[in-house]
Amino acid sequence: MKKFFISISAVLLLGSSAFAKKWTNNVGVGFDYQKSLTSYDSSDYSDISQNSFGVHGTYIGVHENGFTAKADLNFGICLTDDISIQDLDTNIGFFESYLLGAGYSFVNTDRFLAGITGMVGLDMWVYGFTETQTVASVDHDYTTSVINLTFSTGFDLFARTKISDHFGFYGNLGIRYQVAGVSLYGREDSYENGGTVHSSKVNEDELLLGKYIIEPSVGFMWVF
């Protein structure tokens, strides 16, 4: 029985070692910049140009034959002059992007990695503002929000270099086309009168037309 367990352990150890040689995992975190241009599906509105800054998290799995799987998560703040719900010339919000893809690493050595992957993603930009206005001696709290959601597809170009066995640096450039999307506008009026809180809401939505997203990022990468 003891020999049986020793044999099983040896097989599992050899199997995991063989798999490790075939597949390399790369996990990175870095700084992200996103430039996006989106258009409302209406002649009454202009394009929405946004500059976003935040954190880029990425996973790149590479097989010894070059096949590559990739997943990205980006989030941070976004800035635009084309949405006006805040008392600012440039409105400030936050953004998130979720991306999955696969492709090929045309350079795949122990020290250096470079490749291209096709990507699909969901991108979201959120802007909000709360203000208090006095109407007929009653304070009204107004909360306004704009949420833009788009589905995008495109490709990533990436490169990674190692400075030790498990540590290195990476650069990534994402270029995507926004296939379709929706803009959600909401405004809520809340006030208290006679000890009772009253509220009313207005919700509108507008289709978004596809334009582009360009997203470079750089950071640190752990390799295992």
Side-chain angles (χ1 to χ4, degrees), residues 2-3 5 7 16 72 103 160 169 172 181 188 191 204 216:
K2 182 178 180 180
K3 290 182 178 180
F5 283 112
S7 299
S16 62
D72 287 4
R160 179 267 291 159
F169 299 95
N172 187 85
E188 181 179 2
Y191 64 94
E204 300 175 357

Side-chain angles (χ1 to χ4, degrees), residues 77-135:
I77 64 169
C78 50
L79 309 171
T80 184
D81 297 334
D82 300 320
I83 293 176
S84 300
I85 63 172
Q86 302 169 357
D87 289 336
L88 301 167
D89 292 335
T90 299
N91 280 212
I92 304 171
F94 71 89
F95 83 100
E96 296 179 12
S97 298
Y98 304 89
L99 299 141
L100 292 173
Y104 181 72
S105 292
F106 44 82
V107 178
N108 185 14
T109 66
D110 181 64
R111 181 174 176 81
F112 193 74
L113 177 71
I116 183 171
T117 52
M119 306 294 290
V120 294
L122 178 66
D123 305 280
M124 178 175 68
W125 301 268
V126 179
Y127 298 88
F129 185 62
T130 299
E131 61 180 336
T132 300
Q133 296 181 4
T134 301
V135 179

